[in-house]
Each structure stands twice: as C-alpha cells, then as structure tokens.
Amino acid sequence: MNYIKAFAPATVANVACGFDIFGFAIEEPGDVVEVRRRDEPGIIITDITGDEGRLPRAAEKNAVTVVMLHLLKHLGLSDFGCEVVLHKNMPLGSGMGSSAASAVAGVVAMNELLDCPLSRQELLRFAMEGERIASGSAHADNVGPSLLGGFVVIRSYNPLDIFSIPVPADLFCTLVHPDIEINTKDARYILRNEVSLKNTIAQMGNVAGLVAGLMKSDYDLISRSMVDVIIEPVRSILIPEFNVVKQAAIENGALGCSISGSGPSMFALSRGEETARRVGEVMQRTFRDAGIEASKHISGINQGGPVILERS
Ligand code: HSE
C-alpha cells in the first residue's frame, strides 16, 4: 500500500455524569487524514486544511503525527517515511473531540498503510498520546469512541479497561456549537480536585443509571440519569446562555442536555430524530437570540467509527 485516506468521527465526551469515562461517536463531522509513503525517512506534514493556519506543522508537535511517531517507534519502524495531509472539518477548542478525531484518523491511516499490524483496540493507547499533546491529559473518552465507534465506557485508566455498551436504536444526538472557543487545558484547570461525599453518591447513582438506561432502552431512566452535579456547575459558567439553552432543549422534548466534552458545544439526547431536530432548532435559536452564532449537527450514535475512504 502506498496511500491511505481515513476518516474519524467527532465525539461527545463525558455525556453529563461520566467525566473522563463516557463518550460516544456521531456520524458527522469528522476529520480526514491522508498518508502517502515517501522514500526519505521521517514524517512530514505537507498540508493542513480548515485550521486557519493555527495547528503546528512540525511532526513532533502535531497530535496527528505524534500518534504516528509513537506507533512507528513501537513497531521498530522509526525510519519509515511518509507525507501527511490533515483536513480539519470541525473547529478547534469546540468540545466535539476535534484533536481526537485527527489523532484517530492519523493512527488508523498509518496502521492501514502498514497492512494493519495492530487491532483497533490496540491503537487506542497511541491515539491517547495525541490527547496528551493537544490538551495535556491523555483522556480516552474522545479517542475511545472515535476509534471504536458506539458508546464507550472507560472503567479504568490504569490498567486501561475500556468497553462499548449497546444503546437504543432510536437514540439521537443534537450537538450545537456556539461560536466561541474553550481550551480543554483551561477547562480542566478550573475543576476542583476534591469532591464531596454527597456529590460522589449522586454522581455514582447517575452513572449507574445511565449505563442501565442505555442497555435496557429505558428512556425515562436515561433522562433521570443525565445529571452532572460535579463538573457542569463549574464549567457551565464558561458558556454564555448555558442554562437558558439547556432549559429550552428539555422543554422541547430532549431527554437531557449538558456540555459536550469540555465545551463550549452543548449536546442533547432525544428519542427519535424528529425530536432531536426540533431540539437543535431551539438550541441554535436561543444562542442566536443572545447574539451568539451557533451551528448544529443531528446524528444517531455512530457504531462504525473510522472509515478508510481511499487506498492505493
Ligand atoms: N473528559 C474530557 C474533559 C473531554 O472533559 O476534559 C475533553 O473533550
């Protein structure tokens, strides 16, 4: 193989109560990475589109190529030569798993170019290195679902223990991105290190309830469990109109609504596509009424994860 073009989807991390342990993939948008062999050793980035020139072009600084370098080192192929093109199809600092989608598309494309020496599950720890570079923290709740598809639970980070759970077929996500930027590093920095026993108990109940609700297709239980008493109260102050937008989503039929990843995007889950679309309209309008431009995506839960778009 000389050339691979791979797509990896955007993701919603945390899913209200599951900070750093829950995430799911959506159908669109997603980032695309092209990798082409070259005779000279080393990885070079030849182009990045859609980032307005903001991402690093040096291979050892960009999340896409960092994951490739880790993979090549692990395989004893540090002299492998290739050219990389990254197409960013979502805003940076959006809470849509932007860096994760790039890292996953990169590591999947490189693995494919090498005739797939590793499984998707085995690629996870390399993709997590992209998150470490991008946000200072190797969390897996974006790279996990982007790489494996579906709704992912990270039971443990050390040792890494990650698995997917089934979700109801009629579950739809509304993802609304207000046109502001929040850096994940900053959004993690403002969190408190200590959590009260009372809040821990409430959060554990909701985590258990959400898993059970998704697996049993119990929409009322999903709805009651989409409550975050630890992270959302702190981070929501970074998102203008958060409470109004959330209230509008719930009043229009959403099962629940919270911050997507570290924000500023907000997501809602709904039963059925029609409700998800109505919720999207009202969330977008509420932001716009407050003078904040916002874009939206409506999607089922993406069960497939990355896609190889071209190979030659
Ligand atoms: N769990 C991470 C956080 C996801 O909330 O900081 C970042 O997208």
Side-chain angles (χ1 to χ4, degrees), residues 15-53:
V15 199
C17 51
F19 178 69
D20 277 0
I21 65 163
F22 287 165
F24 63 83
I26 60 172
E27 303 290 348
E28 290 278 347
D31 285 351
V32 172
V33 169
E34 299 177 71
V35 195
R36 191 183 301 277
R37 275 180 200 260
R38 63 180 195 129
D39 293 335
E40 299 78 33
I43 298 182
I44 51 168
I45 298 177
T46 48
D47 196 12
I48 302 180
T49 65
D51 74 327
E52 292 162 354

PDB file of all heavy atoms in Angstrom, residues 15-53:
ATOM      1  N   VAL A  15     -20.757  12.905  28.516  1.00  0.00           N
ATOM      2  CA  VAL A  15     -22.195  12.548  28.473  1.00  0.00           C
ATOM      3  C   VAL A  15     -22.871  12.841  29.826  1.00  0.00           C
ATOM      4  O   VAL A  15     -23.430  11.964  30.480  1.00  0.00           O
ATOM      5  CB  VAL A  15     -22.410  11.087  28.032  1.00  0.00           C
ATOM      6  CG1 VAL A  15     -23.845  10.899  27.549  1.00  0.00           C
ATOM      7  CG2 VAL A  15     -21.444  10.684  26.930  1.00  0.00           C
ATOM      8  N   ALA A  16     -22.746  14.077  30.250  1.00  0.00           N
ATOM      9  CA  ALA A  16     -23.294  14.581  31.527  1.00  0.00           C
ATOM     10  C   ALA A  16     -22.514  14.009  32.719  1.00  0.00           C
ATOM     11  O   ALA A  16     -21.496  14.575  33.112  1.00  0.00           O
ATOM     12  CB  ALA A  16     -24.795  14.340  31.636  1.00  0.00           C
ATOM     13  N   CYS A  17     -22.926  12.866  33.259  1.00  0.00           N
ATOM     14  CA  CYS A  17     -22.370  12.426  34.552  1.00  0.00           C
ATOM     15  C   CYS A  17     -21.038  11.691  34.469  1.00  0.00           C
ATOM     16  O   CYS A  17     -20.404  11.471  35.499  1.00  0.00           O
ATOM     17  CB  CYS A  17     -23.401  11.545  35.263  1.00  0.00           C
ATOM     18  SG  CYS A  17     -24.037  10.214  34.212  1.00  0.00           S
ATOM     19  N   GLY A  18     -20.556  11.333  33.269  1.00  0.00           N
ATOM     20  CA  GLY A  18     -19.383  10.452  33.183  1.00  0.00           C
ATOM     21  C   GLY A  18     -18.093  11.148  32.799  1.00  0.00           C
ATOM     22  O   GLY A  18     -17.460  10.800  31.796  1.00  0.00           O
ATOM     23  N   PHE A  19     -17.661  12.108  33.625  1.00  0.00           N
ATOM     24  CA  PHE A  19     -16.435  12.853  33.308  1.00  0.00           C
ATOM     25  C   PHE A  19     -15.256  11.898  33.092  1.00  0.00           C
ATOM     26  O   PHE A  19     -14.924  11.086  33.966  1.00  0.00           O
ATOM     27  CB  PHE A  19     -16.114  13.815  34.461  1.00  0.00           C
ATOM     28  CG  PHE A  19     -14.841  14.604  34.258  1.00  0.00           C
ATOM     29  CD1 PHE A  19     -14.755  15.579  33.278  1.00  0.00           C
ATOM     30  CD2 PHE A  19     -13.726  14.367  35.059  1.00  0.00           C
ATOM     31  CE1 PHE A  19     -13.585  16.310  33.092  1.00  0.00           C
ATOM     32  CE2 PHE A  19     -12.550  15.100  34.881  1.00  0.00           C
ATOM     33  CZ  PHE A  19     -12.493  16.065  33.896  1.00  0.00           C
ATOM     34  N   ASP A  20     -14.660  11.985  31.930  1.00  0.00           N
ATOM     35  CA  ASP A  20     -13.489  11.180  31.530  1.00  0.00           C
ATOM     36  C   ASP A  20     -13.782   9.691  31.359  1.00  0.00           C
ATOM     37  O   ASP A  20     -12.868   8.925  31.050  1.00  0.00           O
ATOM     38  CB  ASP A  20     -12.313  11.347  32.512  1.00  0.00           C
ATOM     39  CG  ASP A  20     -11.465  12.591  32.230  1.00  0.00           C
ATOM     40  OD1 ASP A  20     -11.778  13.339  31.282  1.00  0.00           O
ATOM     41  OD2 ASP A  20     -10.486  12.813  32.965  1.00  0.00           O
ATOM     42  N   ILE A  21     -15.030   9.240  31.586  1.00  0.00           N
ATOM     43  CA  ILE A  21     -15.290   7.795  31.473  1.00  0.00           C
ATOM     44  C   ILE A  21     -16.370   7.422  30.453  1.00  0.00           C
ATOM     45  O   ILE A  21     -16.508   6.246  30.141  1.00  0.00           O
ATOM     46  CB  ILE A  21     -15.638   7.156  32.842  1.00  0.00           C
ATOM     47  CG1 ILE A  21     -16.959   7.715  33.410  1.00  0.00           C
ATOM     48  CG2 ILE A  21     -14.493   7.328  33.834  1.00  0.00           C
ATOM     49  CD1 ILE A  21     -17.545   6.839  34.511  1.00  0.00           C
ATOM     50  N   PHE A  22     -17.154   8.406  29.971  1.00  0.00           N
ATOM     51  CA  PHE A  22     -18.182   8.110  28.955  1.00  0.00           C
ATOM     52  C   PHE A  22     -17.906   8.928  27.696  1.00  0.00           C
ATOM     53  O   PHE A  22     -17.482  10.091  27.776  1.00  0.00           O
ATOM     54  CB  PHE A  22     -19.592   8.540  29.412  1.00  0.00           C
ATOM     55  CG  PHE A  22     -20.231   7.683  30.481  1.00  0.00           C
ATOM     56  CD1 PHE A  22     -21.341   8.157  31.164  1.00  0.00           C
ATOM     57  CD2 PHE A  22     -19.752   6.420  30.783  1.00  0.00           C
ATOM     58  CE1 PHE A  22     -21.951   7.391  32.143  1.00  0.00           C
ATOM     59  CE2 PHE A  22     -20.353   5.643  31.761  1.00  0.00           C
ATOM     60  CZ  PHE A  22     -21.460   6.138  32.449  1.00  0.00           C
ATOM     61  N   GLY A  23     -18.214   8.330  26.550  1.00  0.00           N
ATOM     62  CA  GLY A  23     -18.157   9.081  25.295  1.00  0.00           C
ATOM     63  C   GLY A  23     -18.858   8.295  24.205  1.00  0.00           C
ATOM     64  O   GLY A  23     -18.943   7.064  24.278  1.00  0.00           O
ATOM     65  N   PHE A  24     -19.393   9.012  23.213  1.00  0.00           N
ATOM     66  CA  PHE A  24     -19.961   8.313  22.055  1.00  0.00           C
ATOM     67  C   PHE A  24     -19.604   9.062  20.785  1.00  0.00           C
ATOM     68  O   PHE A  24     -19.312  10.266  20.806  1.00  0.00           O
ATOM     69  CB  PHE A  24     -21.483   8.112  22.192  1.00  0.00           C
ATOM     70  CG  PHE A  24     -22.301   9.372  22.256  1.00  0.00           C
ATOM     71  CD1 PHE A  24     -22.678  10.057  21.108  1.00  0.00           C
ATOM     72  CD2 PHE A  24     -22.716   9.878  23.492  1.00  0.00           C
ATOM     73  CE1 PHE A  24     -23.447  11.212  21.173  1.00  0.00           C
ATOM     74  CE2 PHE A  24     -23.482  11.033  23.568  1.00  0.00           C
ATOM     75  CZ  PHE A  24     -23.842  11.704  22.407  1.00  0.00           C
ATOM     76  N   ALA A  25     -19.624   8.301  19.687  1.00  0.00           N
ATOM     77  CA  ALA A  25     -19.274   8.873  18.384  1.00  0.00           C
ATOM     78  C   ALA A  25     -20.539   9.291  17.651  1.00  0.00           C
ATOM     79  O   ALA A  25     -21.600   8.687  17.830  1.00  0.00           O
ATOM     80  CB  ALA A  25     -18.531   7.828  17.564  1.00  0.00           C
ATOM     81  N   ILE A  26     -20.430  10.341  16.836  1.00  0.00           N
ATOM     82  CA  ILE A  26     -21.550  10.750  15.971  1.00  0.00           C
ATOM     83  C   ILE A  26     -21.130  10.547  14.507  1.00  0.00           C
ATOM     84  O   ILE A  26     -19.961  10.264  14.224  1.00  0.00           O
ATOM     85  CB  ILE A  26     -21.999  12.202  16.250  1.00  0.00           C
ATOM     86  CG1 ILE A  26     -20.860  13.202  16.022  1.00  0.00           C
ATOM     87  CG2 ILE A  26     -22.525  12.331  17.673  1.00  0.00           C
ATOM     88  CD1 ILE A  26     -21.308  14.659  16.104  1.00  0.00           C
ATOM     89  N   GLU A  27     -22.106  10.665  13.601  1.00  0.00           N
ATOM     90  CA  GLU A  27     -21.827  10.353  12.181  1.00  0.00           C
ATOM     91  C   GLU A  27     -20.958  11.415  11.521  1.00  0.00           C
ATOM     92  O   GLU A  27     -20.006  11.114  10.815  1.00  0.00           O
ATOM     93  CB  GLU A  27     -23.145  10.238  11.400  1.00  0.00           C
ATOM     94  CG  GLU A  27     -24.139   9.206  11.947  1.00  0.00           C
ATOM     95  CD  GLU A  27     -23.670   7.767  11.748  1.00  0.00           C
ATOM     96  OE1 GLU A  27     -22.703   7.562  11.003  1.00  0.00           O
ATOM     97  OE2 GLU A  27     -24.273   6.869  12.360  1.00  0.00           O
ATOM     98  N   GLU A  28     -21.299  12.659  11.712  1.00  0.00           N
ATOM     99  CA  GLU A  28     -20.626  13.798  11.076  1.00  0.00           C
ATOM    100  C   GLU A  28     -20.625  14.960  12.055  1.00  0.00           C
ATOM    101  O   GLU A  28     -21.578  15.056  12.829  1.00  0.00           O
ATOM    102  CB  GLU A  28     -21.384  14.251   9.814  1.00  0.00           C
ATOM    103  CG  GLU A  28     -21.324  13.292   8.643  1.00  0.00           C
ATOM    104  CD  GLU A  28     -20.040  13.435   7.837  1.00  0.00           C
ATOM    105  OE1 GLU A  28     -19.330  14.440   8.055  1.00  0.00           O
ATOM    106  OE2 GLU A  28     -19.752  12.559   7.032  1.00  0.00           O
ATOM    107  N   PRO A  29     -19.649  15.817  12.036  1.00  0.00           N
ATOM    108  CA  PRO A  29     -18.494  15.861  11.140  1.00  0.00           C
ATOM    109  C   PRO A  29     -17.406  14.905  11.628  1.00  0.00           C
ATOM    110  O   PRO A  29     -17.581  14.185  12.615  1.00  0.00           O
ATOM    111  CB  PRO A  29     -18.042  17.315  11.258  1.00  0.00           C
ATOM    112  CG  PRO A  29     -18.385  17.681  12.667  1.00  0.00           C
ATOM    113  CD  PRO A  29     -19.657  16.946  12.981  1.00  0.00           C
ATOM    114  N   GLY A  30     -16.302  14.933  10.901  1.00  0.00           N
ATOM    115  CA  GLY A  30     -15.139  14.161  11.302  1.00  0.00           C
ATOM    116  C   GLY A  30     -13.936  14.671  10.545  1.00  0.00           C
ATOM    117  O   GLY A  30     -14.088  15.395   9.556  1.00  0.00           O
ATOM    118  N   ASP A  31     -12.742  14.315  11.022  1.00  0.00           N
ATOM    119  CA  ASP A  31     -11.524  14.756  10.342  1.00  0.00           C
ATOM    120  C   ASP A  31     -11.025  13.676   9.382  1.00  0.00           C
ATOM    121  O   ASP A  31     -11.314  12.492   9.554  1.00  0.00           O
ATOM    122  CB  ASP A  31     -10.431  15.088  11.362  1.00  0.00           C
ATOM    123  CG  ASP A  31     -10.710  16.422  12.054  1.00  0.00           C
ATOM    124  OD1 ASP A  31     -11.631  17.143  11.617  1.00  0.00           O
ATOM    125  OD2 ASP A  31     -10.005  16.737  13.019  1.00  0.00           O
ATOM    126  N   VAL A  32     -10.257  14.128   8.381  1.00  0.00           N
ATOM    127  CA  VAL A  32      -9.733  13.216   7.362  1.00  0.00           C
ATOM    128  C   VAL A  32      -8.221  13.375   7.298  1.00  0.00           C
ATOM    129  O   VAL A  32      -7.703  14.495   7.312  1.00  0.00           O
ATOM    130  CB  VAL A  32     -10.380  13.522   5.983  1.00  0.00           C
ATOM    131  CG1 VAL A  32      -9.700  12.729   4.874  1.00  0.00           C
ATOM    132  CG2 VAL A  32     -11.880  13.215   6.027  1.00  0.00           C
ATOM    133  N   VAL A  33      -7.526  12.243   7.275  1.00  0.00           N
ATOM    134  CA  VAL A  33      -6.058  12.267   7.182  1.00  0.00           C
ATOM    135  C   VAL A  33      -5.630  11.452   5.962  1.00  0.00           C
ATOM    136  O   VAL A  33      -6.141  10.356   5.728  1.00  0.00           O
ATOM    137  CB  VAL A  33      -5.410  11.689   8.463  1.00  0.00           C
ATOM    138  CG1 VAL A  33      -3.913  11.473   8.264  1.00  0.00           C
ATOM    139  CG2 VAL A  33      -5.645  12.624   9.645  1.00  0.00           C
ATOM    140  N   GLU A  34      -4.705  12.021   5.184  1.00  0.00           N
ATOM    141  CA  GLU A  34      -4.105  11.295   4.064  1.00  0.00           C
ATOM    142  C   GLU A  34      -2.650  10.997   4.409  1.00  0.00           C
ATOM    143  O   GLU A  34      -1.939  11.893   4.891  1.00  0.00           O
ATOM    144  CB  GLU A  34      -4.128  12.160   2.800  1.00  0.00           C
ATOM    145  CG  GLU A  34      -5.523  12.541   2.342  1.00  0.00           C
ATOM    146  CD  GLU A  34      -5.452  13.448   1.128  1.00  0.00           C
ATOM    147  OE1 GLU A  34      -5.099  12.970   0.031  1.00  0.00           O
ATOM    148  OE2 GLU A  34      -5.719  14.652   1.282  1.00  0.00           O
ATOM    149  N   VAL A  35      -2.229   9.765   4.174  1.00  0.00           N
ATOM    150  CA  VAL A  35      -0.826   9.390   4.406  1.00  0.00           C
ATOM    151  C   VAL A  35      -0.280   8.751   3.133  1.00  0.00           C
ATOM    152  O   VAL A  35      -0.922   7.862   2.570  1.00  0.00           O
ATOM    153  CB  VAL A  35      -0.679   8.339   5.537  1.00  0.00           C
ATOM    154  CG1 VAL A  35       0.770   8.253   5.986  1.00  0.00           C
ATOM    155  CG2 VAL A  35      -1.555   8.660   6.705  1.00  0.00           C
ATOM    156  N   ARG A  36       0.879   9.234   2.685  1.00  0.00           N
ATOM    157  CA  ARG A  36       1.497   8.694   1.464  1.00  0.00           C
ATOM    158  C   ARG A  36       2.951   8.342   1.770  1.00  0.00           C
ATOM    159  O   ARG A  36       3.670   9.132   2.378  1.00  0.00           O
ATOM    160  CB  ARG A  36       1.434   9.752   0.357  1.00  0.00           C
ATOM    161  CG  ARG A  36       1.803   9.243  -1.027  1.00  0.00           C
ATOM    162  CD  ARG A  36       1.787  10.370  -2.050  1.00  0.00           C
ATOM    163  NE  ARG A  36       0.481  11.033  -2.162  1.00  0.00           N
ATOM    164  CZ  ARG A  36      -0.528  10.577  -2.899  1.00  0.00           C
ATOM    165  NH1 ARG A  36      -0.384   9.478  -3.610  1.00  0.00           N
ATOM    166  NH2 ARG A  36      -1.670  11.234  -2.929  1.00  0.00           N
ATOM    167  N   ARG A  37       3.349   7.130   1.384  1.00  0.00           N
ATOM    168  CA  ARG A  37       4.754   6.724   1.577  1.00  0.00           C
ATOM    169  C   ARG A  37       5.694   7.636   0.800  1.00  0.00           C
ATOM    170  O   ARG A  37       5.332   8.111  -0.274  1.00  0.00           O
ATOM    171  CB  ARG A  37       4.973   5.317   1.000  1.00  0.00           C
ATOM    172  CG  ARG A  37       4.643   4.197   1.921  1.00  0.00           C
ATOM    173  CD  ARG A  37       4.913   2.880   1.206  1.00  0.00           C
ATOM    174  NE  ARG A  37       4.199   1.806   1.853  1.00  0.00           N
ATOM    175  CZ  ARG A  37       4.761   0.948   2.719  1.00  0.00           C
ATOM    176  NH1 ARG A  37       6.045   1.060   3.015  1.00  0.00           N
ATOM    177  NH2 ARG A  37       4.041  -0.009   3.263  1.00  0.00           N
ATOM    178  N   ARG A  38       6.900   7.835   1.326  1.00  0.00           N
ATOM    179  CA  ARG A  38       7.936   8.512   0.540  1.00  0.00           C
ATOM    180  C   ARG A  38       9.252   7.790   0.806  1.00  0.00           C
ATOM    181  O   ARG A  38       9.388   7.061   1.799  1.00  0.00           O
ATOM    182  CB  ARG A  38       8.020  10.001   0.870  1.00  0.00           C
ATOM    183  CG  ARG A  38       8.402  10.300   2.278  1.00  0.00           C
ATOM    184  CD  ARG A  38       8.465  11.784   2.575  1.00  0.00           C
ATOM    185  NE  ARG A  38       9.178  11.953   3.840  1.00  0.00           N
ATOM    186  CZ  ARG A  38      10.189  12.764   4.032  1.00  0.00           C
ATOM    187  NH1 ARG A  38      10.623  13.519   3.052  1.00  0.00           N
ATOM    188  NH2 ARG A  38      10.773  12.835   5.205  1.00  0.00           N
ATOM    189  N   ASP A  39      10.224   8.007  -0.063  1.00  0.00           N
ATOM    190  CA  ASP A  39      11.472   7.241   0.023  1.00  0.00           C
ATOM    191  C   ASP A  39      12.345   7.699   1.176  1.00  0.00           C
ATOM    192  O   ASP A  39      13.001   6.893   1.828  1.00  0.00           O
ATOM    193  CB  ASP A  39      12.250   7.341  -1.301  1.00  0.00           C
ATOM    194  CG  ASP A  39      11.492   6.628  -2.416  1.00  0.00           C
ATOM    195  OD1 ASP A  39      10.706   5.706  -2.067  1.00  0.00           O
ATOM    196  OD2 ASP A  39      11.650   6.987  -3.590  1.00  0.00           O
ATOM    197  N   GLU A  40      12.360   8.994   1.467  1.00  0.00           N
ATOM    198  CA  GLU A  40      13.223   9.508   2.535  1.00  0.00           C
ATOM    199  C   GLU A  40      12.621   9.141   3.893  1.00  0.00           C
ATOM    200  O   GLU A  40      11.397   9.100   4.034  1.00  0.00           O
ATOM    201  CB  GLU A  40      13.372  11.033   2.454  1.00  0.00           C
ATOM    202  CG  GLU A  40      13.997  11.556   1.173  1.00  0.00           C
ATOM    203  CD  GLU A  40      13.012  11.566   0.021  1.00  0.00           C
ATOM    204  OE1 GLU A  40      11.811  11.785   0.249  1.00  0.00           O
ATOM    205  OE2 GLU A  40      13.442  11.286  -1.114  1.00  0.00           O
ATOM    206  N   PRO A  41      13.445   8.913   4.921  1.00  0.00           N
ATOM    207  CA  PRO A  41      12.901   8.589   6.236  1.00  0.00           C
ATOM    208  C   PRO A  41      12.248   9.798   6.905  1.00  0.00           C
ATOM    209  O   PRO A  41      12.553  10.945   6.573  1.00  0.00           O
ATOM    210  CB  PRO A  41      14.135   8.142   7.038  1.00  0.00           C
ATOM    211  CG  PRO A  41      15.301   8.716   6.329  1.00  0.00           C
ATOM    212  CD  PRO A  41      14.921   8.899   4.894  1.00  0.00           C
ATOM    213  N   GLY A  42      11.327   9.535   7.821  1.00  0.00           N
ATOM    214  CA  GLY A  42      10.709  10.601   8.614  1.00  0.00           C
ATOM    215  C   GLY A  42       9.335  11.018   8.118  1.00  0.00           C
ATOM    216  O   GLY A  42       9.009  10.850   6.941  1.00  0.00           O
ATOM    217  N   ILE A  43       8.558  11.586   9.053  1.00  0.00           N
ATOM    218  CA  ILE A  43       7.204  12.042   8.727  1.00  0.00           C
ATOM    219  C   ILE A  43       7.217  13.542   8.492  1.00  0.00           C
ATOM    220  O   ILE A  43       7.769  14.286   9.314  1.00  0.00           O
ATOM    221  CB  ILE A  43       6.240  11.737   9.890  1.00  0.00           C
ATOM    222  CG1 ILE A  43       6.156  10.230  10.143  1.00  0.00           C
ATOM    223  CG2 ILE A  43       4.857  12.318   9.640  1.00  0.00           C
ATOM    224  CD1 ILE A  43       5.186   9.839  11.242  1.00  0.00           C
ATOM    225  N   ILE A  44       6.600  13.989   7.395  1.00  0.00           N
ATOM    226  CA  ILE A  44       6.436  15.431   7.209  1.00  0.00           C
ATOM    227  C   ILE A  44       4.961  15.758   6.946  1.00  0.00           C
ATOM    228  O   ILE A  44       4.269  14.999   6.284  1.00  0.00           O
ATOM    229  CB  ILE A  44       7.314  16.020   6.065  1.00  0.00           C
ATOM    230  CG1 ILE A  44       7.124  15.225   4.777  1.00  0.00           C
ATOM    231  CG2 ILE A  44       8.763  16.080   6.452  1.00  0.00           C
ATOM    232  CD1 ILE A  44       7.744  15.937   3.573  1.00  0.00           C
ATOM    233  N   ILE A  45       4.528  16.879   7.519  1.00  0.00           N
ATOM    234  CA  ILE A  45       3.163  17.354   7.244  1.00  0.00           C
ATOM    235  C   ILE A  45       3.261  18.272   6.032  1.00  0.00           C
ATOM    236  O   ILE A  45       3.943  19.294   6.079  1.00  0.00           O
ATOM    237  CB  ILE A  45       2.587  18.112   8.459  1.00  0.00           C
ATOM    238  CG1 ILE A  45       2.509  17.169   9.666  1.00  0.00           C
ATOM    239  CG2 ILE A  45       1.219  18.701   8.141  1.00  0.00           C
ATOM    240  CD1 ILE A  45       2.022  17.825  10.946  1.00  0.00           C
ATOM    241  N   THR A  46       2.583  17.895   4.933  1.00  0.00           N
ATOM    242  CA  THR A  46       2.687  18.724   3.721  1.00  0.00           C
ATOM    243  C   THR A  46       1.560  19.751   3.639  1.00  0.00           C
ATOM    244  O   THR A  46       1.697  20.777   2.984  1.00  0.00           O
ATOM    245  CB  THR A  46       2.694  17.853   2.444  1.00  0.00           C
ATOM    246  OG1 THR A  46       1.637  16.920   2.533  1.00  0.00           O
ATOM    247  CG2 THR A  46       4.008  17.119   2.296  1.00  0.00           C
ATOM    248  N   ASP A  47       0.425  19.470   4.313  1.00  0.00           N
ATOM    249  CA  ASP A  47      -0.670  20.453   4.276  1.00  0.00           C
ATOM    250  C   ASP A  47      -1.660  20.187   5.419  1.00  0.00           C
ATOM    251  O   ASP A  47      -1.854  19.033   5.817  1.00  0.00           O
ATOM    252  CB  ASP A  47      -1.415  20.364   2.930  1.00  0.00           C
ATOM    253  CG  ASP A  47      -2.282  21.584   2.654  1.00  0.00           C
ATOM    254  OD1 ASP A  47      -2.130  22.599   3.386  1.00  0.00           O
ATOM    255  OD2 ASP A  47      -3.109  21.536   1.729  1.00  0.00           O
ATOM    256  N   ILE A  48      -2.245  21.264   5.919  1.00  0.00           N
ATOM    257  CA  ILE A  48      -3.380  21.150   6.843  1.00  0.00           C
ATOM    258  C   ILE A  48      -4.438  22.112   6.335  1.00  0.00           C
ATOM    259  O   ILE A  48      -4.162  23.297   6.143  1.00  0.00           O
ATOM    260  CB  ILE A  48      -3.001  21.515   8.300  1.00  0.00           C
ATOM    261  CG1 ILE A  48      -1.861  20.616   8.810  1.00  0.00           C
ATOM    262  CG2 ILE A  48      -4.226  21.401   9.215  1.00  0.00           C
ATOM    263  CD1 ILE A  48      -1.418  20.916  10.240  1.00  0.00           C
ATOM    264  N   THR A  49      -5.653  21.603   6.105  1.00  0.00           N
ATOM    265  CA  THR A  49      -6.734  22.490   5.665  1.00  0.00           C
ATOM    266  C   THR A  49      -7.733  22.665   6.815  1.00  0.00           C
ATOM    267  O   THR A  49      -7.874  21.790   7.667  1.00  0.00           O
ATOM    268  CB  THR A  49      -7.481  21.915   4.444  1.00  0.00           C
ATOM    269  OG1 THR A  49      -8.157  20.704   4.832  1.00  0.00           O
ATOM    270  CG2 THR A  49      -6.534  21.601   3.299  1.00  0.00           C
ATOM    271  N   GLY A  50      -8.405  23.807   6.833  1.00  0.00           N
ATOM    272  CA  GLY A  50      -9.511  24.031   7.779  1.00  0.00           C
ATOM    273  C   GLY A  50      -9.097  24.482   9.154  1.00  0.00           C
ATOM    274  O   GLY A  50      -9.935  24.556  10.054  1.00  0.00           O
ATOM    275  N   ASP A  51      -7.814  24.773   9.378  1.00  0.00           N
ATOM    276  CA  ASP A  51      -7.387  25.177  10.729  1.00  0.00           C
ATOM    277  C   ASP A  51      -6.961  26.640  10.788  1.00  0.00           C
ATOM    278  O   ASP A  51      -6.469  27.102  11.821  1.00  0.00           O
ATOM    279  CB  ASP A  51      -6.242  24.297  11.230  1.00  0.00           C
ATOM    280  CG  ASP A  51      -4.922  24.636  10.550  1.00  0.00           C
ATOM    281  OD1 ASP A  51      -4.944  25.020   9.359  1.00  0.00           O
ATOM    282  OD2 ASP A  51      -3.874  24.559  11.205  1.00  0.00           O
ATOM    283  N   GLU A  52      -7.118  27.344   9.671  1.00  0.00           N
ATOM    284  CA  GLU A  52      -6.708  28.751   9.575  1.00  0.00           C
ATOM    285  C   GLU A  52      -5.257  28.947  10.012  1.00  0.00           C
ATOM    286  O   GLU A  52      -4.903  29.946  10.640  1.00  0.00           O
ATOM    287  CB  GLU A  52      -7.644  29.639  10.406  1.00  0.00           C
ATOM    288  CG  GLU A  52      -9.046  29.686   9.814  1.00  0.00           C
ATOM    289  CD  GLU A  52     -10.090  30.182  10.800  1.00  0.00           C
ATOM    290  OE1 GLU A  52      -9.755  30.391  11.980  1.00  0.00           O
ATOM    291  OE2 GLU A  52     -11.242  30.354  10.376  1.00  0.00           O
ATOM    292  N   GLY A  53      -4.441  27.964   9.711  1.00  0.00           N
ATOM    293  CA  GLY A  53      -3.006  28.072   9.981  1.00  0.00           C
ATOM    294  C   GLY A  53      -2.619  27.968  11.440  1.00  0.00           C
ATOM    295  O   GLY A  53      -1.502  28.312  11.819  1.00  0.00           O
TER     296      GLY A  53
END
